[in-house]
Amino acid sequence: MENYCNKCEKLVSYSTKEKSVKENIDGKEVSYIKKYDICDICGTVFYSEDTYNYNIITASNEIRRKNGIITTTQIEEILKKYNIGKKPLSYVLGWGEVTIIRYLDGQIPEKVYSDVLLKVLEDPKEMLKYLETNKDLITPVAYKKAVGKITEIKLEEDKSKIYLIAKHIIAKMGDITPLSLQKLLYYIDGFSKSLLDRNIFDSRCEAWVHGPVYPVIYDRFSYYSYNSIDNEDFNDYKDIDISTDEIKLVDAVVDAFGCYSGKVLERMTHISEPWIKARDGVLENEASNNKINDEDIQTYFNGIVKEYNIISVKDIGKYSKSMFKQVSKM
């Protein structure tokens, strides 16, 4: 690294050192670790831009801590926790677009602003309230990303079974869109009712335009739209706290239906009686959150198991192949 040394009157290499200091800043005595730079040629002490900025932010954080004001580190935690940018966060909170940027650069927030940020950091519900109030001030993608992270936090806290299964599917598939994921969950739901005689998860699905949808999973992954889900957070996911017969069923459904595209799976579910019944009276492209009745799903899949002589999960492929032939002719 090089910086201009006034004594040497040229660019020089330098070393960065640290020392513990006490300084009076804005009437407050603060102690912190201060950095300074030393010219390797003449030993002159100076402050490079990086060192100067570090000292400003470090001293600012000490003042904040002494006064119960949010620190820059905590603000960065908010950005990461809710997968939101600096300007969008400012807009969501109803502030000027550079407010968060200024706070991260060392400006100390007034306590009323700090209290808002601390509450948002602590409580995802508080963040969701601001998102819903000011979502028109940010892009739809930014809104969906933040809602997705809030949903993820809730699902993780609740140890949601449908989310555990969704993560397992993503890890197993490696390349999957939210549309495909929703349809695989629908078939897992249906076959668990008929082959295991129980609900594999409690979340209920709704009859949306593009087929059965589990809203909580939609909220988690909707910002991917029709793109593949980034599986970086799931590619090492191996632990899934469900029974052996349940995991066998999940894997069998993925093996039987995972080879088809999301649009093909969508067409398959469009000729599924439970979805058709739940859409009764709704126009083809009309939005609807009508719930698909659990009993209708069970009745339909009981009939499928009987019609295709599905004795075990290994036989599920009989149905998927037949469905593919049917939609291929449409």
Side-chain angles (χ1 to χ4, degrees), residues 285-300:
N285 292 314
E286 181 183 353
S288 169
N289 59 357
N290 290 350
K291 294 191 182 302
I292 301 180
N293 190 287
D294 255 13
E295 293 180 0
D296 291 340
I297 295 175
Q298 177 140 24
T299 299
Y300 175 74

Side-chain angles (χ1 to χ4, degrees), residues 262-310:
K263 296 307 291 183
V264 169
L265 293 173
E266 177 184 325
R267 293 202 296 271
M268 289 183 182
T269 59
H270 277 195
I271 56 175
S272 169
E273 289 177 13
W275 179 83
I276 294 172
K277 185 174 180 180
R279 296 280 300 180
D280 185 38
V282 179
L283 298 177
E284 182 178 354
N285 292 314
E286 181 183 353
S288 169
N289 59 357
N290 290 350
K291 294 191 182 302
I292 301 180
N293 190 287
D294 255 13
E295 293 180 0
D296 291 340
I297 295 175
Q298 177 140 24
T299 299
Y300 175 74
F301 279 91
N302 283 345
I304 293 301
V305 166
K306 183 177 180 180
E307 179 181 352
Y308 290 89
N309 192 31
I310 298 176

Side-chain angles (χ1 to χ4, degrees), residues 63-221:
I63 295 173
R64 296 181 196 209
R65 273 190 280 269
K66 288 179 75 73
N67 291 281
I69 302 296
I70 193 166
T71 66
T72 57
T73 301
Q74 289 174 309
I75 294 175
E76 288 168 352
E77 286 178 26
I78 294 174
L79 300 177
K80 182 177 181 181
K81 182 174 184 176
Y82 300 117
N83 196 15
I84 193 169
K86 302 167 190 175
K87 289 183 179 180
L89 177 59
S90 292
Y91 288 136
V92 163
L93 297 177
W95 302 340
E97 69 172 19
V98 297
T99 303
I100 297 299
I101 294 174
R102 290 202 306 265
Y103 292 161
L104 288 172
D105 285 343
Q107 180 178 321
I108 299 174
E110 295 180 18
K111 193 170 189 309
V112 63
Y113 289 92
S114 172
D115 288 346
V116 169
L117 288 166
L118 287 170
K119 197 167 184 179
V120 162
L121 174 61
E122 177 67 23
D123 187 359
K125 291 180 182 177
E126 189 72 11
M127 180 63 175
L128 183 59
K129 182 182 74 174
Y130 281 106
L131 275 168
E132 294 299 338
T133 300
N134 295 317
K135 64 182 178 181
D136 292 338
L137 301 179
I138 60 176
T139 66
V141 171
Y143 168 77
K144 288 180 179 180
K145 280 186 176 182
V147 170
K149 291 301 289 185
I150 291 171
T151 305
E152 179 184 18
I153 292 167
K154 178 81 165 62
L155 290 169
E156 293 285 6
E157 287 178 349
D158 294 345
K159 300 188 185 308
S160 166
K161 199 167 182 181
I162 191 172
Y163 188 48
L164 289 174
I165 292 171
K167 291 197 292 185
H168 176 77
I169 293 170
I170 295 167
K172 184 177 175 67
M173 293 282 291
D175 183 11
I176 184 172
T177 64
L179 181 64
S180 295
L181 178 61
Q182 291 281 0
K183 305 312 168 252
L184 293 179
L185 289 170
Y186 173 69
Y187 287 119
I188 289 167
D189 191 5
F191 279 112
S192 73
K193 287 174 169 58
S194 58
L195 293 177
L196 304 182
D197 197 28
R198 62 179 180 270
N199 293 326
I200 197 168
F201 44 70
D202 293 332
S203 299
R204 302 278 62 83
C205 61
E206 297 178 356
W208 288 21
V209 171
H210 296 289
V213 168
Y214 298 85
V216 69
I217 297 300
Y218 174 83
D219 287 342
R220 171 65 182 89
F221 296 108

Side-chain angles (χ1 to χ4, degrees), residues 25-61:
I25 302 175
D26 293 336
K28 298 282 186 180
E29 186 179 85
V30 294
S31 300
Y32 68 101
I33 302 300
K34 188 173 188 176
K35 289 186 177 183
Y36 60 97
D37 304 312
I38 301 177
C39 173
D40 289 339
I41 297 176
C42 69
T44 296
V45 173
F46 60 86
Y47 297 93
S48 64
E49 183 178 356
D50 288 344
T51 301
Y52 175 80
N53 289 337
Y54 170 85
N55 290 334
I56 290 293
I57 292 174
T58 303
S60 170
N61 280 336

